[in-house]
Amino acid sequence: MVSLTRKLAYGILTASALLCGATAQAAGERFVLISHAPDSDSWWNTIKTAIKEAGQHLSVTVEYRNPPTGDLADMARIVEQAAASNPNGIIVTIADFDVLRGPITNAVKKGIPVVTINSGTQEQSARLGALMHVGQPEYDAGFGAGKKAKDAGVKSFLCVNHYITNPASVERCKGFADAIGTPLGNQMIDSGMDPSEVENKVAAYLKANPTTGGILALGPNSAHPTIRALEKTQQAGKMFFGTFDLSPEIAKAIKDGTINFAIDQQPYLQGYLPVMALTLNARYGVFPGNNINSGPGFVTKATVAQVEKLAGEYR
């Protein structure tokens, strides 16, 4: 993973240098990135860092928009509004294919180049008419996490889903369950995003299901309260615990043995690469020929030192 990341970083810097050296040919490009994340979701700070730096490096404007509460109908309206403003490109998550299909395909029909990121699949991206998808195959990432859990002897688990309305989150839990070899069923809980509620729901599930062998959290919003629940019930370090994504708190928990691994989908790439690709498209009519898998990579105690200082900002 490190070698690939270095190669990508080198490619980004090289392309950025070339583009910055050609700013005389720039036409004041403007792009809009639309996520499904509510304002409370701190994970997206890394993508915000990426598009800010991409904008500076490439001399373009990148606007970040999102539904404040995470409402997907609101997100669909934001896509429509962005398309109506005629940007040079739209970057958007496929949080729900059916809800977003109309607004995204309408933008494509208007001639607006679209790149999808993060949620959704490469197949869905192609069906929407997008030029490329940059993200992590969610089922595969969950399956990889489940294989690690199975190797550790986990037979029953809890999947803490803080954003259950996003089909991609369910794919993570399903992949985890399939790798272990157990039906998903009620082992996935709708925890919501309120930290106190997540903590209480995790504690209540573990009390009602004392033979639970492992936990999968789907990001900082569910991982942070789960850490507290395990600490209060004196199960921290005793329960197999994996999570998606990184944060300073998650990095610390990996170091102290509370969390076994974090699945890194490298969100910085999900923000930076689409801006770079769309800028190349707008200026020179060139575009990468394939989708880009930004993850998964697994961060463990053996590798966390490499990313700890950058967690929450670049990792």
Side-chain angles (χ1 to χ4, degrees):
M1 182 186 75
V2 175
S3 176
L4 175 59
T5 302
R6 285 176 178 168
K7 290 178 181 178
L8 285 169
Y10 178 78
I12 289 171
L13 292 173
T14 302
S16 297
L18 291 171
L19 285 169
C20 287
T23 52
Q25 299 183 43
E29 295 91 352
R30 180 177 65 88
F31 307 110
V32 182
L33 189 151
I34 305 154
S35 89
H36 57 266
D39 291 342
S40 61
D41 194 341
S42 62
W43 182 84
W44 286 82
N45 290 342
T46 300
I47 285 183
K48 292 176 184 177
T49 297
I51 63 174
K52 178 181 178 181
E53 293 194 350
Q56 294 170 347
H57 296 165
L58 307 175
S59 299
V60 299
T61 298
V62 190
E63 302 169 4
Y64 177 87
R65 300 182 188 176
N66 68 297
T69 65
D71 181 79
L72 295 182
D74 189 15
M75 180 185 177
R77 288 190 289 271
I78 293 172
V79 175
E80 292 172 348
Q81 293 165 0
S85 72
N86 294 313
N88 296 97
I90 289 176
I91 305 162
V92 62
T93 69
I94 314 175
D96 187 305
F97 181 84
D98 292 331
V99 172
L100 298 172
R101 175 170 50 187
I104 293 175
T105 54
N106 286 340
V108 171
K109 289 176 182 177
K110 284 189 65 175
I112 299 172
V114 172
V115 172
T116 59
I117 64 167
N118 188 261
S119 297
T121 66
Q122 296 175 3
E123 292 76 17
Q124 289 175 330
S125 180
R127 288 172 61 190
L128 293 171
L131 296 175
M132 179 175 70
H133 183 75
V134 182
Q136 172 178 261
E138 302 294 2
Y139 177 87
D140 293 345
F143 193 89
K147 286 178 65 178
K148 290 183 178 295
K150 184 177 182 179
D151 290 344
V154 174
K155 297 180 180 179
S156 62
F157 68 93
L158 166 64
C159 188
V160 189
N161 193 333
H162 64 269
Y163 197 12
I164 206 164
T165 57
N166 184 346
S169 68
V170 179
E171 286 295 297
R172 293 176 172 183
C173 294
K174 188 175 187 307
F176 192 77
D178 287 351
I180 291 174
T182 181
L184 182 55
N186 64 3
Q187 296 190 84
M188 178 177 69
I189 63 169
D190 179 3
S191 69
M193 290 194 185
D194 180 84
S196 296
E197 288 188 12
V198 177
E199 180 182 332
N200 291 336
K201 287 181 179 180
V202 169
Y205 183 94
L206 295 178
K207 183 177 181 180
N209 300 274
T211 61
T212 300
I215 296 175
L216 179 70
L218 302 190
N221 286 74
S222 49
H224 296 171
T226 298
I227 293 170
R228 292 192 292 273
L230 292 176
E231 289 173 343
K232 290 180 180 179
T233 58
Q234 298 184 337
Q235 296 181 78
K238 301 175 183 178
M239 175 79 66
F240 185 93
F241 181 9
T243 183
F244 278 77
D245 305 326
L246 288 162
S247 71
E249 292 90 338
I250 289 171
K252 178 179 180 297
I254 292 173
K255 289 179 68 177
D256 67 28
T258 300
I259 291 179
N260 294 73
F261 61 79
I263 301 169
D264 181 16
Q265 61 175 298
Q266 301 183 110
Y268 188 90
L269 295 180
Q270 295 179 16
Y272 199 108
L273 292 179
V275 176
M276 186 179 71
L278 287 170
T279 302
L280 288 167
N281 181 66
R283 293 181 185 175
Y284 314 121
V286 297
F287 202 84
N290 294 301
N291 300 301
I292 297 175
N293 287 345
S294 63
F298 290 87
V299 178
T300 65
K301 185 180 288 189
T303 59
V304 68
Q306 300 174 350
V307 300
E308 182 179 19
K309 292 181 179 180
L310 301 176
E313 186 176 8
Y314 292 95
R315 297 297 300 270

